[in-house]
Amino acid sequence: MIINLRDITNENFIECIKLTTNKDDNHTIFEEFVASNAFSIAQSKIQDGWVTKAIYEDDTMVGFTMYGFEGNFYEICRLMIDHRYQQKGYGTIALTKIIDKMKSFENCQEIFLSFDPKNDIARALYEKLGFEDTGKIYDGEILYKLSLSPA
């Protein structure tokens, strides 16, 4: 399985915004546990510091991510795998690749992310890759942190 992160372009934009975590394939601005890709791409255009990428397995788009520097810390703001491709290991590999990219950011010593307290699948994924609960709530979500080893 070859997973890679690719830029959102004119050629793949529509495909990207059609991805959804909703099992009924119904597209909404805010899905059960994540904002839609269209909302996220729009947000990245009006707020500085965000990187948006499509997640591919070979030439099949399976997900989306948004990460970067927000406020005063590095954050993975969005990670979604389309409902058709969930539970196949794509999230784990994609998150590892995102972390590797963020490690190259200047002064990135910690990566934060937050998620809905009811999202047990996300919690298990994040903990598997070393994220730890900070004990804080951020925008109604649990805030986790990954401490990076100095390079």
Side-chain angles (χ1 to χ4, degrees), residues 33-34 50 64-70 72-80 91-92 94-100 102 108-117 119-148:
F33 294 125
V34 68
W50 294 119
F64 171 83
T65 187
M66 183 166 116
Y67 57 91
F69 190 77
E70 202 270 324
N72 57 0
F73 55 87
Y74 289 94
E75 177 183 4
I76 299 171
C77 183
R78 305 285 191 298
L79 173 62
M80 70 80 70
T92 302
L95 185 55
T96 300
K97 290 190 176 283
I98 296 162
I99 292 166
D100 287 345
M102 293 181 78
C108 183
Q109 298 173 354
E110 300 173 324
I111 300 172
F112 290 86
L113 53 75
S114 62
F115 60 95
D116 187 298
N119 193 342
D120 294 327
I121 292 172
R123 179 190 317 266
L125 169 61
Y126 302 146
E127 289 178 355
K128 177 169 82 171
L129 292 180
F131 284 86
E132 297 177 338
D133 190 343
T134 64
K136 297 178 183 172
I137 301 296
Y138 179 72
D139 241 3
E141 298 185 334
I142 299 170
L143 184 65
Y144 268 39
K145 173 179 80 170
L146 176 67
S147 296
L148 301 176

Side-chain angles (χ1 to χ4, degrees), residues 36-70:
S36 71
N37 297 346
F39 179 89
S40 299
I41 292 167
Q43 181 182 2
S44 76
K45 299 303 177 195
I46 61 167
Q47 293 178 347
D48 293 334
W50 294 119
V51 175
T52 57
K53 297 286 185 180
I55 301 168
Y56 281 83
E57 179 201 18
D58 296 321
D59 287 324
T60 303
M61 187 184 299
V62 298
F64 171 83
T65 187
M66 183 166 116
Y67 57 91
F69 190 77
E70 202 270 324

